[in-house]
Amino acid sequence: MHLSHLAALAAAPLLASAAPSSLETRQSVQKVTVNPATKYQPIDGFGFSAAFQRANLIVNLKEPKQSEVLNLLFNTTSGAGFSIVRNGIGSSKDSQKDYMNTILPTCPSSPSGTPDYKWDGKDSGQLFLSQKAVSFGVKQFYANAWSAPGCMKTNNNDANGGSLCGVSGASCKSGDWKQAYANYLVKYIQLYAESGVTVTHLGFLNEPDFSTSYASMLSSGTQAAEFIKVLRPTLDKANLTSVGINCCEATGWSVANQHASQINSAGALGMVYAITSHEYTSRISGTLGTKARVWQTEYSDLNGGWSTAWYSNGGSGDGFTWANTVFNGIVNSNLSAYIFWEGVQDRATNNNNNEKLILVDGQTYQVSKRLWAFAQFRVVRPGAVRIGASGGSNLKSGAFLNADGSVAVVIINSATSTQTVGISVTGAPVASGDVRAWYTDNTHDASETTVTVGTDGTASASVPGRGMVSFLVAAPGNGTVVKGL
Ligand SMILES: *[C@@H]1O[C@H](CO)[C@@H](O)[C@H](O)[C@H]1NC(C)=O
Ligand SMILES: *[C@@H]1O[C@H](CO)[C@@H](O)[C@H](O)[C@H]1NC(C)=O
Ligand SMILES: *[C@@H]1O[C@H](CO)[C@@H](O)[C@H](O)[C@H]1NC(C)=O
Ligand SMILES: *[C@@H]1O[C@H](CO)[C@@H](O)[C@H](O)[C@H]1NC(C)=O
């Protein structure tokens, strides 16, 4: 797998070279100007989920395949370099089908009773995956419950909707379970901490505007705010002040907009790290206009047949389509994170579709170009801030100032033919040897490409039609940043 890419890495410690000074005067160099003085939103990163026991597909892979798949997901030089793992906090009493089991299969008889937590040390394979992610340097783990355990809900079932007992309009004979649910979520985080994984973000709902036959719990933004006001102090008392609360995993952008304004009206927005949305029922467009960060936390093509194409016909499973989707969220809609649905999935359990980045079938796997679309964003590291970028014809460009001072520029060539792209950073001419670039198209997977640097400090590289190229420029005087990547 990916021999072309490995060969490129082996062959090329550094491909940048001094350019003929005539380069800029050659025809059709599309210039993109990056302006670090124009600052937009902070970036947390990019990620995927392995919920619903999909992580077990990786657990069950034998070496070397297991390491290969982990590298494809997490490696910042040979894979997608994902920096966020979204884990499902189980609510089911057992692990039948692909259900995620809960740490509280049976509730105490009243909300103030002592809970009898059961930890299996596996968490549907997600603990293993998370520990592996830690070994790659991943620092963001988003623990996200689809539902409270059934015994805390109006319908006494973790599936089929129902509400958390104790939020407005949801009173239960057994009492108010808000505090018990908050304690339960804290316990889950503590169990992960004991296993070497620091949960950094916590969600307590998934698609609360949609009732399903699997784990689901209904909530408005107003009801969510009532719970947030219990959860925040519970986290703080447990010395988990640094855990950010995310809410509410709406099925789509327009519902997320309602959540954001309801939580704000209820006075709980200041307790929220990120407003989270999926893109199933309405796509992301414009900005939510909230002071909180905004994350897209789950989306995929659920309909098309399994595809590994970068560009076939612009279909919703194409890698190029995904390059544009992620770009749109981050550059046009002020997102601080973009998280794909499943990282891996088999052929049998679900439709043979594109809801995964990597198809894992027993001991074999196939990588989609959707993964390489995300890999083009790996130059943008957690803690970056988006900065100004503009110019060029038929180009979409986004630029980011990383925390180490390096500048990442991601560019999609919307034209159908090859273009030469030249980037210049305002106030900081690029030095030869301080820049690298990688590209993806139908036949390349984030392959390194030659960068030429003109005497005026413009760094240029060629990008195929319907291709994507990403530049990484070292902070002035710090070429070690890019050399080491
Ligand atoms: C990432 O991939 C590169 C290239 O294959 C390899 O040298 C490096 O060891 C990998 N990193 C990790 C953490 O495995
Ligand atoms: C609280 O957490 C911090 C790290 O977030 C840790 O350094 C400190 O020891 C913890 N304190 C207690 C009392 O557990
Ligand atoms: C972008 O997001 C930040 C939070 O990350 C927020 O402060 C800012 O107001 C948002 N800008 C727009 C235009 O929505
Ligand atoms: C260069 O980058 C490295 C890696 O991020 C960092 O540790 C170092 O402080 C930087 N040096 C300068 C002079 O900015």
Side-chain angles (χ1 to χ4, degrees):
M1 284 287 178
H2 319 297
L3 289 177
S4 61
H5 181 62
L6 290 176
L9 274 174
L14 196 66
L15 290 177
S17 61
S21 56
S22 61
L23 182 78
E24 304 87 75
T25 56
R26 265 190 237 152
Q27 70 285 12
S28 75
V29 174
Q30 299 295 331
K31 278 256 219 168
V32 171
T33 303
V34 174
N35 187 356
T38 305
K39 292 195 166 60
Y40 300 103
Q41 82 275 23
I43 301 295
D44 293 308
F46 304 86
F48 68 92
S49 182
F52 288 93
Q53 299 185 30
R54 305 299 183 259
N56 279 330
L57 295 168
I58 300 176
V59 173
N60 294 335
L61 275 175
K62 295 188 173 63
E63 291 294 9
K65 298 258 165 73
Q66 185 181 75
S67 291
E68 288 167 12
V69 167
L70 289 167
N71 271 279
L72 282 162
L73 293 168
F74 297 121
N75 195 306
T76 54
T77 61
S78 61
F82 283 120
S83 52
I84 303 173
V85 178
R86 175 180 178 236
N87 286 329
I89 302 177
S91 51
S92 302
K93 282 177 179 292
D94 55 49
S95 302
Q96 63 158 309
K97 298 185 185 167
D98 58 2
Y99 295 170
M100 297 179 280
N101 61 300
T102 176
I103 58 168
L104 189 63
T106 311
C107 281
S109 56
S110 79
S112 56
T114 304
D116 182 17
Y117 294 120
K118 309 250 189 245
W119 175 235
D120 67 3
K122 294 188 174 68
D123 200 30
S124 303
Q126 297 175 119
L127 180 62
F128 173 90
L129 178 67
S130 301
Q131 288 169 332
K132 290 292 178 186
V134 169
S135 75
F136 278 91
V138 174
K139 293 190 173 65
Q140 295 174 105
F141 294 89
Y142 175 24
N144 187 184
W146 263 238
S147 171
C151 44
M152 299 184 182
K153 293 170 64 185
T154 50
N155 61 341
N156 200 35
N157 186 343
D158 77 310
N160 302 319
S163 306
L164 178 63
C165 297
V167 298
S168 56
S171 63
C172 301
K173 279 197 188 116
S174 59
D176 179 340
W177 289 84
K178 291 199 298 295
Q179 184 61 57
Y181 186 36
N183 296 345
Y184 162 90
L185 296 169
V186 162
K187 180 69 184 181
Y188 177 94
I189 294 175
Q190 289 168 337
L191 290 166
Y192 260 70
E194 285 164 19
S195 304
V197 179
T198 303
V199 170
T200 50
H201 300 85
L202 176 65
F204 56 93
L205 293 168
N206 177 71
E207 300 184 351
D209 52 315
F210 184 48
S211 173
T212 63
S213 59
Y214 50 89
S216 49
M217 181 162 81
L218 300 178
S219 177
S220 65
T222 307
Q223 291 169 318
E226 292 163 12
F227 181 66
I228 289 166
K229 289 176 185 175
V230 175
L231 181 58
R232 184 70 265 166
T234 306
L235 286 165
D236 294 347
K237 261 180 239 150
N239 194 30
L240 295 171
T241 49
S242 60
V243 175
I245 298 174
N246 287 354
C247 199
C248 316
E249 304 289 320
T251 57
W253 192 241
S254 55
V255 181
N257 211 350
Q258 291 165 21
H259 289 157
S261 69
Q262 288 168 344
I263 291 172
N264 189 40
S265 300
L269 193 68
M271 298 178 188
V272 169
Y273 183 87
I275 296 290
T276 55
S277 182
H278 301 178
E279 285 203 68
Y280 296 113
T281 54
S282 59
R283 300 295 303 275
I284 287 176
S285 71
T287 61
L288 279 193
T290 173
K291 289 271 175 284
R293 297 188 189 200
V294 183
W295 286 16
Q296 197 297 133
T297 43
E298 181 188 321
Y299 188 49
S300 66
D301 166 33
L302 298 172
N303 300 311
W306 167 251
S307 166
T308 58
W310 172 255
Y311 184 87
S312 57
N313 55 5
S316 37
D318 279 5
F320 185 64
T321 300
W322 274 89
N324 280 281
T325 295
V326 177
F327 182 95
N328 176 58
I330 298 287
V331 179
N332 299 332
S333 293
N334 204 36
L335 299 184
S336 292
Y338 201 106
I339 302 178
F340 192 81
W341 176 211
E342 294 284 13
V344 300
Q345 193 176 67
D346 59 352
R347 210 184 281 272
T349 313
N350 278 269
N351 299 330
N352 187 28
N353 64 11
N354 295 319
E355 65 185 301
K356 54 244 171 219
L357 299 170
I358 303 176
L359 171 65
V360 176
D361 242 349
Q363 294 300 317
T364 66
Y365 68 87
Q366 286 177 40
V367 185
S368 74
K369 287 284 195 173
R370 296 180 292 283
L371 179 118
W372 295 109
F374 277 97
Q376 287 293 147
F377 288 90
R378 73 187 179 202
V379 289
V380 185
R381 303 312 304 164
V385 61
R386 190 167 73 82
I387 55 178
S390 62
S393 137
N394 280 314
L395 298 179
K396 294 182 179 180
S397 55
F400 306 84
L401 180 60
N402 283 317
D404 65 8
S406 58
V407 171
V409 188
V410 296
I411 297 171
I412 293 173
N413 179 11
S414 305
T416 53
S417 56
T418 300
Q419 303 208 81
T420 300
V421 178
I423 60 156
S424 63
V425 182
T426 304
V430 178
S432 175
D434 277 2
V435 56
R436 296 174 74 181
W438 299 263
Y439 77 112
T440 296
D441 67 357
N442 276 324
T443 51
H444 297 86
D445 299 333
S447 304
E448 185 153 18
T449 189
T450 306
V451 183
T452 48
V453 180
T455 49
D456 68 344
T458 300
S460 302
S462 168
V463 54
R466 294 193 185 108
M468 184 164 182
V469 65
S470 302
F471 292 85
L472 187 64
V473 183
N478 195 351
T480 55
V481 175
V482 277
K483 287 186 187 108
L485 224 193

